């Protein structure tokens, strides 16, 4: 049984696939305690793989126009999904025709059959290769790839909830990226324009 915080259909709000329709599976629980985490771990329900797949399929059938043969991507997020996700669950989604992405902190090995892996590194990194490296930018934090090889490198301004401070962080993040063009800007558009 897996601890699921939420399963919902929306658009990817940040990173490489920003604006892409996706079914998000938000797992409850993490091995880190980041001050800026936006997941409430106190609420979850235990679900089997079959329960998760049935919920995803029900969402797709309710939300996607039947004539559209393209299925939305699946985004496994959290918390830290690698603590609960295995290759069997991913293969079950592949068998149904889904593209499966995972957002991880990189401290736990991830299944090899993922289609896309985003690492937002924090500490004690185990995973050294991913498709997308997304680092939080704050003036107090050192910008580093932490030895992780990625296809794309993103900096995302830290969202502290303080609008004035956030504007300074965004400005300084843009300035940093202009000076270090290996990085791209990632904004949390779902928070900026208010969608889940």
């Amino acid at each position: 049984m897996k601890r699921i915080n939420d399963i919902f259909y929306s658009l990817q709000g940040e990173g490489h696939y920003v604006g892409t329709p996706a079914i998000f599976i938000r797992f409850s629980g993490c091995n880190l305690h980041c001050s800026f985490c936006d997941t409430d771990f106190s609420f979850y329900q235990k679900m089997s793989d079959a329960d998760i797949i049935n919920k995803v399929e029900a969402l797709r059938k309710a939300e996607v126009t039947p004539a559209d043969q393209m299925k939305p991507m699946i985004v496994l997020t959290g918390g830290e999904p690698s603590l609960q996700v295995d290759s069997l669950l991913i293969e079950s989604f592949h068998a149904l025709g889904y593209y499966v992405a995972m957002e991880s902190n990189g401290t736990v090995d991830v299944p090899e059959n993922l289609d896309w892996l985003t690492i937002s590194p924090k500490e004690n990194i185990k995973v050294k290769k991913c498709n997308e490296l997304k680092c939080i930018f704050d003036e107090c934090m050192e910008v580093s790839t932490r030895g992780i090889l990625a296809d794309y490198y993103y900096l995302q301004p830290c969202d502290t909830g303080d609008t004035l401070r956030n504007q300074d962080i965004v400005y300084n993040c843009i300035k940093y990226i202009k000076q270090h063009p290996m990085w791209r800007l990632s904004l949390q558009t779902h928070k900026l324009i208010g969608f889940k």
Side-chain angles (χ1 to χ4, degrees):
M1 298 297 276
K2 295 175 172 57
R3 290 172 296 154
I4 303 298
N5 180 275
D6 199 4
I7 299 176
F8 60 96
Y9 184 48
S10 188
L11 302 181
Q12 176 59 280
E14 57 194 54
H16 187 75
Y17 281 108
V18 68
T20 302
I23 295 176
F24 292 83
I25 304 172
R26 186 176 297 280
F27 290 82
S28 183
C30 187
N31 55 336
L32 302 178
H33 304 285
C34 301
S35 60
F36 48 82
C37 183
D38 57 3
T39 301
D40 177 8
F41 297 125
S42 64
F43 171 79
Y44 64 86
Q45 69 180 96
K46 291 186 176 180
M47 297 177 76
S48 67
D49 285 2
D51 294 334
I52 295 168
I53 291 164
N54 289 338
K55 173 75 173 183
V56 165
E57 282 288 271
L59 265 176
R60 180 187 60 80
K61 289 174 182 171
E63 298 281 346
V64 179
T65 302
D68 190 341
Q69 297 303 308
M70 184 173 178
K71 291 189 176 182
M73 68 189 282
I74 302 284
V75 177
L76 308 171
T77 187
E80 179 47 51
S82 65
L83 296 172
Q84 300 183 63
V85 173
D86 56 26
S87 58
L88 187 60
L89 178 61
I90 295 166
E91 202 47 52
S92 297
F93 283 126
H94 284 161
L96 293 169
Y98 287 99
Y99 181 90
V100 183
M102 178 186 281
E103 298 175 347
S104 171
N105 63 29
T107 61
V108 178
D109 288 327
V110 299
E112 293 183 9
N113 57 342
L114 288 165
D115 298 304
W116 185 268
L117 176 61
T118 300
I119 296 292
S120 294
K122 308 299 185 293
E123 55 191 49
N124 302 320
I125 303 303
K126 253 182 129 169
V127 178
K128 294 295 185 180
K129 189 170 185 205
C130 62
N131 301 100
E132 172 183 25
L133 182 69
K134 187 173 59 185
C135 295
I136 301 298
F137 181 88
D138 191 338
E139 287 86 353
C140 306
M141 299 175 177
E142 177 188 347
V143 175
S144 168
T145 65
R146 302 190 188 200
I148 299 171
L149 295 174
D151 299 322
Y152 302 95
Y153 296 88
Y154 287 90
L155 287 182
Q156 184 164 293
C158 186
D159 180 6
T160 61
D162 178 347
T163 305
L164 292 175
R165 182 167 180 270
N166 286 349
Q167 289 174 347
D168 288 341
I169 291 172
V170 171
Y171 171 79
N172 289 328
C173 184
I174 291 169
K175 181 179 175 184
Y176 185 91
I177 292 169
K178 286 169 69 178
Q179 293 170 346
H180 303 87
M182 73 173 281
W183 295 96
R184 296 179 181 186
L185 180 66
S186 173
L187 297 175
Q188 293 181 300
T189 58
H190 53 295
K191 291 183 179 180
L192 292 171
I193 60 177
F195 65 91
K196 180 178 180 181

